[in-house]
Amino acid sequence: MNQLDKFNQSVMKYDLPQGKIYVGGIWKKGGGNSIQSYFPADRTINGELTGANDADIDQAIEYGQKAVKNPAWANLLPHERASILYRIAEGIKNNVERIAYIQTRDTGKTLTETRALANSAAGTFRYFAAVLETAQEALTPSRGAYMTFSRYEPIGLVSAITPWNSPIASDAQKVAPALAAGNAVLLKPSSWSPLVCLELARIIDEAGLPKGLFSALPGSGSIVGERLVTDPAIGRISFTGGTNVGHEIAIKAASRFVPVSLELGGKSPTIVFEDADINMAIAGVLYGIFSSSGQSCIAGSRLLVQKSIYPQFVKKLVEATKALKIGHPFDPQTQVAPLIHDTHRMAVEEWVERARQEGGKILTGGMRPKGEIYEAGCYFSPTIIEGLPNHSSVCREEIFGPVLVVMPFSDETEAVTMANDNAYGLACGVWSKDVIRALRVGQAITTGTVWVNTYKQFSISTPFGGVKESGCGREKGIEGLRSYMNQKSYYIDTSQKPLGWVRFP
Ligand code: NAD
């Protein structure tokens, strides 16, 4: 038995969703283009399905519009709606192993990571159920003989478009608050990872969500994505993906004044000051860039190290990187798994080649790892590059792979200037024992999230999102629910007299 067979036999296998998509609560064969995902560890085909076409989207919209107005949903009290979300959370929790297996097959991420993502998705549904049940509305001070208050009401039909890197988590982050807010949701996953949202659909269906309120519509960006952005029935767009597509969507949403949230790319800086705890910083920097094989929007892909500790820090960092276990996603010891796709690996390789041509020095990695296991899949070694200026394209652009650029800085002012001298603004990491300085630096950096002496930690109750080219809007947190609602203000007369402006004859 070869090593691949050993890994394949080491885990429980679950059926992968096949053939059908979920349109307005009905399982059917999509009328669109065929989609094939493969297991990035050995390129075996996960399954075939045909994505949604215009007729399927018409149906999803029609059923969604009806479902959202149906008293069986529209008249539910918050705690009743929440109870369905709690059931979905339970359904996810009871299927963590199955979801993890499907997502690992779809994306190549380790089972350890996909289990954590599935658990976080369950937590997201639970959290928004709790937010919904406990949300308060307040009377506003009136300035006349009337009572005033502002209510949050459902928008109607919401579209959710997600990328391939963490599907179950990003799906839940949109679907849970959108349903909690009383809407119907049309979810479109990436064609590289079409399967997980179909498993989510199965769980949502079993949890008893009224039919029509949720559709899972795999398909291309140019057909399904385009409709979910431009169709007049869609009242709110929630997008996570690349900055270029984000720009297109922003323009289309603006032309209809449709509220849109855009969770986009990043090139997040990590700043290590000379007084940092070196081992903590090394562990955080490595986890920040090489977990998920760097395929993470918040990857700490730009490392700035204070000059006084630069040589010894980088030496230790390189040694620790070489010790990372690159391996099969089913191997519990694996830290760096394959990339999602050969096409994506080629894109990452092109960036590394460009770094070489621009004079960058590859300190470790920079190539495919060698060996039987690695040749079967889309692996790329964790790579560290130095010697490039902050304004070089490799230091500026998102690579979305296991590639870290490292640069020295002399003092706090220079570190902040270098960190801010980038189009993106998603996250940053600051490593220093002087927490007051770390907070000052965090405040000076234009970004959405600041991690101090840690990195890539998340809480569903803490808002997340970017600024600049990393997008706009926030997900998670209490306000995450409100962002899927329309705020409407009411004035109710308390005088019981006609307004004085009219003089009755
Ligand atoms: P992508 O932009 O290519 O695709 C994202 C989704 O948009 C996919 O479902 C795709 O099919 C769809 N799409 C493509 N063209 C479209 C169009 N014209 N109209 C509507 N939809 C369209 O991104 P990707 O390669 O799937 O994902 C990687 C990117 O996602 C990276 O840039 C990463 O930083 C970003 N990302 C951001 C966050 C965040 O929270 N900020 C999280 C994860 C990933």
Side-chain angles (χ1 to χ4, degrees), residues 497-505:
K497 290 184 196 141
L499 293 173
W501 188 75
V502 172
R503 287 186 213 100
F504 289 97

Side-chain angles (χ1 to χ4, degrees), residues 92 99 103 106 117 120-121 124-125 128 160-179 185 187-190 193-201 204 214 216 238 240 475 484:
I92 295 175
I99 296 167
Q103 181 154 337
D106 230 3
L117 290 169
S120 92
T124 300
F125 274 93
F128 279 108
I161 302 175
T162 55
W164 46 261
N165 62 322
S166 304
I168 190 69
S170 41
D171 295 353
Q173 248 163 255
K174 298 178 185 318
V175 175
L179 288 177
V185 191
L187 171 66
K188 189 201 106 54
S190 162
S193 57
L195 302 183
V196 177
C197 78
L198 298 171
E199 177 59 15
L200 180 62
I204 287 179
F214 178 68
S238 180
T240 299
E475 290 193 329
Y484 288 94

Side-chain angles (χ1 to χ4, degrees), residues 66 91 108 163-164 191 256 286 290 319 371 390 456 499:
K66 277 190 192 144
W164 46 261
S191 297
R256 294 198 292 122
L286 291 189
F290 296 131
E319 279 161 13
N390 195 31
K456 223 177 163 182
L499 293 173

Side-chain angles (χ1 to χ4, degrees), residues 84-273:
I84 300 179
L85 295 184
Y86 283 123
R87 283 207 297 277
I88 297 173
E90 265 321 287
I92 295 175
K93 196 82 196 152
N94 294 337
N95 285 281
V96 162
E97 286 303 317
R98 176 190 294 276
I99 296 167
Y101 177 76
I102 295 170
Q103 181 154 337
T104 289
R105 290 280 320 191
D106 230 3
T107 63
K109 286 192 162 195
T110 63
L111 276 178
T112 318
E113 189 178 348
T114 53
R115 261 184 216 118
L117 290 169
N119 276 315
S120 92
T124 300
F125 274 93
R126 242 186 354 256
Y127 175 80
F128 279 108
V131 169
L132 171 62
E133 278 200 278
T134 53
Q136 303 276 337
E137 283 170 343
L139 291 180
T140 48
S142 61
R143 291 187 169 225
Y146 45 78
M147 188 172 84
T148 61
F149 58 92
S150 217
R151 284 185 65 191
Y152 288 89
E153 301 182 352
I155 289 172
L157 216 52
V158 168
S159 68
I161 302 175
T162 55
W164 46 261
N165 62 322
S166 304
I168 190 69
S170 41
D171 295 353
Q173 248 163 255
K174 298 178 185 318
V175 175
L179 288 177
N183 303 294
V185 191
L186 273 49
L187 171 66
K188 189 201 106 54
S190 162
S191 297
W192 277 352
S193 57
L195 302 183
V196 177
C197 78
L198 298 171
E199 177 59 15
L200 180 62
R202 187 188 69 75
I203 291 168
I204 287 179
D205 194 86
E206 272 185 21
L209 184 79
K211 302 264 182 214
L213 290 170
F214 178 68
S215 288
L217 304 168
S220 70
S222 57
I223 297 171
V224 182
E226 174 74 11
R227 277 292 299 281
L228 295 197
V229 170
T230 56
D231 196 286
I234 305 292
R236 157 85 159 93
I237 301 161
S238 180
F239 174 78
T240 299
T243 294
N244 289 342
V245 178
H247 272 286
E248 280 179 42
I249 291 177
I251 290 164
K252 288 170 188 162
S255 73
R256 294 198 292 122
F257 298 126
V258 171
V260 60
S261 53
L262 300 164
E263 302 284 355
L264 310 178
K267 187 80 177 181
S268 299
T270 306
I271 303 171
V272 181
F273 285 99

Side-chain angles (χ1 to χ4, degrees), residues 265-412:
K267 187 80 177 181
S268 299
T270 306
I271 303 171
V272 181
F273 285 99
E274 59 192 359
D275 68 340
D277 179 310
I278 299 300
N279 283 345
M280 277 182 74
I282 287 194
V285 168
L286 291 189
Y287 180 66
I289 178 63
F290 296 131
S291 59
S292 311
S293 303
Q295 302 166 117
S296 168
C297 56
I298 33 89
S301 50
R302 217 160 36 107
L303 174 62
L304 311 175
V305 182
Q306 193 150 22
K307 267 183 191 146
S308 50
I309 58 161
Y310 185 89
Q312 59 274 37
F313 185 87
V314 173
K315 184 166 178 279
K316 205 166 177 187
L317 186 78
V318 168
E319 279 161 13
T321 303
K322 285 180 177 159
L324 291 174
K325 163 100 173 125
I326 311 171
H328 194 280
F330 291 162
D331 181 349
Q333 300 303 316
T334 293
Q335 288 161 296
V336 183
L339 299 178
I340 177 112
H341 205 278
D342 282 306
T343 310
H344 185 52
R345 179 170 64 170
M346 264 153 49
V348 170
E349 285 174 330
E350 278 169 23
W351 277 113
V352 174
E353 190 43 40
R354 186 186 291 206
R356 281 197 184 94
Q357 282 169 12
E358 290 182 3
K361 186 170 163 205
I362 312 289
L363 300 179
T364 183
M367 57 180 165
R368 302 174 184 189
K370 296 198 170 46
E372 181 197 359
I373 283 279
Y374 305 127
E375 268 137 41
C378 314
Y379 292 88
F380 194 75
S381 299
T383 299
I384 301 180
I385 303 170
E386 73 169 357
L388 291 172
N390 195 31
H391 58 77
S392 68
S393 61
V394 179
C395 294
R396 252 188 2 245
E397 303 293 337
E398 182 181 50
I399 297 177
F400 217 58
V403 180
L404 176 70
V405 288
V406 49
M407 289 165 277
F409 69 88
S410 41
D411 58 16
E412 186 178 317

